[in-house]
Amino acid sequence: MTTDSPNSEGFFGEFGGQYLPEELKQIMNDIYRAYLDIRDTEAFTTELHELQNHYVGRPSPVYFCRRLSQHLGGAEIYLKREDLNHTGAHKINHCLGEALLARHMGKTKVLAETGAGQHGVALAAACALVGIPCEIHMGEIDVAKQAPNVLRMKLMGATVIPVSRGTRTLKDAVDSAFEEYLRDPQNFFYAIGSVVGPHPFPQMVRDFQKIVGIEARKQFQEMTGALPDQLVACVGGGSNAIGLFTAFLDDQDVAIVGVEPSGLGLDTPDHAATLTLGSPGVLHGMRCYVLQDEQGEPLPVYSIASGLDYPGVGPQHSYLKEIGRVRYETATDQDCLDAFQMLSRYEGIIPALESSHALAYAIRVAPQMAGKRILINLSGRGDKDIDFVAEKLKL
Ligand SMILES: *Cc1c(COP(=O)(O)O)cnc(C)c1O
């Protein structure tokens, strides 16, 4: 159950499903059928595999952090280098899969929202490559804050729609993109950016991401002759985490930890620790852990890493928490900034602020884990974050 598909209604245990109007359920089921039709065909697997190798640059290396490990004086720290992928993060793995599926289904436009622009850039690249029109909805405030990513999307041929309603940020961009999608869901494809949303997206996005763990398991064994003692990954919606975890879920001796952002502290409203402090509810077409108020409305969330501030989380993570296979921990903004600097100084690798949450947890526990090996998913590179960090640290 942990590594397999969800049940026929799209549930992992009590989580997942399709909390949607009947018409949209039909469309989701069409997408699932199309996915099952092509996923094991020679043509699809060959094309995806070639693009993964020659376009994304897979396999990404597993790297042993010698200096950082020495400095911490306990466990050996290893990184799965998803930061080295084309476009700088793990997101290209599922965007490519989604773009290929949309083209296979004859869709005329791929749509999505983006916050900081990372999902938008990865999707724009995948759509340029596959040759399908791409439309990205983005809050006006984010458009102003993330000018380089807006330029990247435009250069790669995507249409960027600035959203001027409400808070003019991610939440309104989601509503705007979804409204556009509802104008013609037969012909449009809504490319969800993580292992969230209605079935089949949590399963499909996971399947496109599980290459991360399949590679890492083999690479790690070749390097060390053993499996890691512990895996660590940051969790926003949960795609990079489930991507690393899936290949190891049946390895009972491998401890698995997902790290959520506790922001300014779990005792403040400024965090996005959904699995740590949330409760089961319904959000964006799925049942999952949600940070919600008494009425079931999602609470405002916050993280220093914009890729992690989501009030829900993937249904499979909700299930893995429930059955105790994965432990979910937290790291604060300050932990994250410290880890960001430590990896930069000791290894010459600037991590994304999102990934720095996973690093922060490993840095915390490594000194007490002498003789053990920790494998961290370095989900993205930090180039996008350096201006912000320089300001924070007064560099
Ligand atoms: C978007 C993003 C994340 C968070 O998304 P998940 O679906 O939880 O993986 C993490 N790391 C990076 C670098 C990102 O861009």
Side-chain angles (χ1 to χ4, degrees):
M1 188 61 189
T2 50
T3 45
D4 291 355
S5 298
N7 74 13
S8 57
E9 271 84 51
F11 281 92
F12 299 90
E14 61 165 298
F15 300 103
Q18 295 175 321
Y19 291 81
L20 294 172
E22 201 51 42
E23 185 210 347
L24 280 180
K25 272 192 203 172
Q26 295 304 329
I27 303 248
M28 292 301 141
N29 293 339
D30 291 345
I31 293 174
Y32 192 43
R33 259 191 304 277
Y35 170 66
L36 294 180
D37 276 349
I38 61 164
R39 121 184 128 163
D40 299 321
T41 62
E42 177 85 21
F44 181 75
T45 49
T46 304
E47 184 171 17
L48 184 60
H49 193 71
E50 283 186 358
L51 292 175
Q52 284 169 338
N53 290 352
H54 302 295
Y55 184 74
V56 179
R58 307 209 66 88
S60 64
V62 166
Y63 169 73
F64 171 47
C65 296
R66 191 172 317 258
R67 288 198 68 227
L68 179 64
S69 303
Q70 254 167 19
H71 171 71
L72 295 171
E76 291 183 351
I77 307 276
Y78 294 77
L79 306 176
K80 175 62 170 166
R81 298 287 312 272
E82 291 299 293
D83 62 311
L84 294 177
N85 293 343
H86 177 50
T87 67
H90 70 289
K91 287 195 173 76
I92 192 71
N93 298 329
H94 62 249
C95 286
L96 255 185
E98 288 180 307
L100 288 173
L101 178 60
R103 190 189 64 189
H104 168 79
M105 294 184 76
K107 302 281 182 178
T108 56
K109 180 162 83 177
V110 173
L111 270 160
E113 78 287 341
T114 195
Q118 296 305 112
H119 177 50
V121 167
L123 193 62
C127 288
L129 176 76
V130 164
I132 191 166
C134 178
E135 182 177 300
I136 304 293
H137 292 240
M138 191 171 182
E140 267 183 347
I141 290 183
D142 292 327
V143 169
K145 271 209 312 223
Q146 308 289 341
N149 275 345
V150 175
L151 258 179
R152 286 185 185 103
M153 288 184 259
K154 287 183 174 168
L155 282 167
M156 293 186 285
T159 305
V160 179
I161 310 278
V163 178
S164 58
R165 68 174 84 172
T167 58
R168 296 183 289 152
T169 57
L170 180 62
K171 184 177 172 299
D172 305 285
V174 173
D175 294 343
S176 169
F178 199 65
E179 271 169 35
E180 175 61 17
Y181 175 63
L182 290 181
R183 287 197 326 113
D184 192 357
Q186 291 286 354
N187 290 306
F188 298 165
F189 189 93
Y190 197 108
I192 293 180
S194 187
V195 284
V196 298
H199 175 67
F201 281 90
Q203 179 191 350
M204 282 195 320
V205 171
R206 177 202 70 187
D207 289 352
F208 292 134
Q209 284 295 347
K210 71 183 179 193
I211 182 85
V212 174
I214 292 171
E215 285 175 5
R217 194 173 183 284
K218 187 159 162 281
Q219 291 166 314
F220 200 91
Q221 275 181 314
E222 282 167 8
M223 276 175 97
T224 68
L227 291 177
D229 296 290
Q230 186 170 75
L231 305 178
V232 185
C234 66
V235 178
S239 66
N240 88 87
I242 208 76
L244 177 66
F245 298 169
T246 298
F248 296 89
L249 286 173
D250 292 333
D251 298 314
Q252 293 303 329
D253 291 340
V254 179
I256 306 184
V257 179
V259 184
E260 301 190 302
S262 49
L264 301 183
L266 290 175
D267 52 352
T268 76
D270 296 316
H271 63 78
T274 309
L275 287 161
T276 306
L277 291 184
S279 52
V282 171
L283 180 73
H284 296 153
M286 62 176 163
R287 184 170 169 80
C288 65
Y289 271 77
V290 187
L291 285 167
Q292 54 192 333
D293 66 17
E294 243 97 276
Q295 281 74 47
E297 287 298 312
L299 289 166
V301 286
Y302 160 83
S303 165
I304 192 171
S306 50
L308 301 183
D309 60 358
Y310 182 59
V313 66
Q316 195 177 0
H317 284 290
S318 304
Y319 175 68
L320 289 168
K321 172 191 163 79
E322 207 87 330
I323 63 170
R325 178 62 186 99
V326 177
R327 214 149 38 80
Y328 294 89
E329 302 276 350
T330 60
T332 65
D333 282 7
Q334 191 57 52
D335 298 338
C336 161
L337 281 170
D338 293 345
F340 180 98
Q341 292 175 87
M342 199 181 276
L343 190 71
S344 301
R345 292 210 183 145
Y346 280 91
E347 299 292 344
I349 298 171
I350 301 177
L353 285 172
E354 289 81 5
S355 327
S356 298
H357 286 77
L359 273 167
Y361 174 78
I363 289 168
R364 191 192 309 155
V365 298
Q368 291 86 46
M369 288 178 63
K372 305 281 190 195
R373 300 186 181 105
I374 302 175
L375 174 61
I376 302 166
N377 197 4
L378 198 70
S379 55
R381 68 179 80 134
D383 302 47
K384 66 186 178 61
D385 299 314
I386 56 175
D387 291 335
F388 176 81
V389 170
E391 200 173 303
K392 272 263 169 208
L393 300 176
K394 306 196 166 50
L395 296 180

